[in-house]
Amino acid sequence: KMTDAPALYSNVNVEITGAEVYRQNRGWVALHINQGIYDLLTLQNNVTAVLATGEKIPTGRISQLRLILGSNNTVTTLDGSVYPMKVPSGSQSGLKVNIDRDIHTNDYIEVILDFDANASVVLNGNGEYHLKPVIKVQSVTQME
């Protein structure tokens, strides 16, 4: 799941094309997710977007989660102007956050990521917007 805090923009749209977890000593495991463009500013006041549900993750130590972004990322300023946002290496190496949890057979884990749109959107001196994501793990709930 993802959530966000208020920002100085009308919309901050991020295209999520993939998500993976890193199993120690085993590598990256792709998750089946709800791909799409998510307006981070609609994810405020305890509103979340579900990226994956009911996904089977192999047992073992999960150290990281990464989100893979597409190229359809935009920011809408308060005057209504829409600008593309460049995401350095977002589609290659992804946006990584540490999870550090052991997953046992039949465990259920819910991860809520807080994507700080206001801190993540950077206007460069040349007038280009870049997304330099500020993401923290708001909560990790593990149930057996």
Side-chain angles (χ1 to χ4, degrees):
K1 292 183 178 181
M2 289 190 311
T3 189
D4 187 27
L8 301 175
Y9 307 100
S10 296
N11 304 91
V12 176
N13 295 308
V14 176
E15 181 184 26
I16 299 180
T17 60
E20 300 174 333
V21 292
Y22 189 82
R23 284 184 55 213
Q24 281 187 302
N25 304 320
R26 298 284 175 99
W28 292 102
V29 177
L31 303 176
H32 297 89
I33 67 158
N34 299 317
Q35 295 182 3
I37 297 173
Y38 294 86
D39 181 356
L40 298 178
L41 299 186
T42 64
L43 305 176
Q44 299 177 21
N45 301 319
N46 295 318
V47 174
T48 59
V50 176
L51 296 178
T53 184
E55 182 69 24
K56 298 281 187 186
I57 298 174
T59 60
R61 181 93 177 153
I62 303 296
S63 60
Q64 290 184 321
L65 167 75
R66 75 175 166 189
L67 300 176
I68 308 298
L69 301 187
S71 59
N72 294 316
N73 304 295
T74 60
V75 60
T76 305
T77 57
L78 295 176
D79 69 2
S81 300
V82 179
Y83 299 95
M85 277 191 303
K86 293 186 178 184
V87 183
S89 73
S91 61
Q92 290 86 26
S93 63
L95 312 176
K96 298 174 187 168
V97 293
N98 292 328
I99 301 296
D100 295 320
R101 291 284 192 265
D102 288 315
I103 305 297
H104 305 285
T105 303
N106 298 322
D107 275 1
Y108 172 81
I109 186 170
E110 177 183 78
V111 178
I112 298 179
L113 303 176
D114 185 0
F115 204 125
D116 187 339
N118 197 47
S120 298
V121 177
V122 176
L123 176 59
N124 288 341
N126 61 4
E128 289 183 344
Y129 284 89
H130 283 230
L131 183 68
K132 296 189 177 179
V134 176
I135 302 173
K136 67 179 180 179
V137 176
Q138 180 176 327
S139 66
V140 177
T141 306
Q142 188 168 352
M143 296 164 267
E144 295 180 15

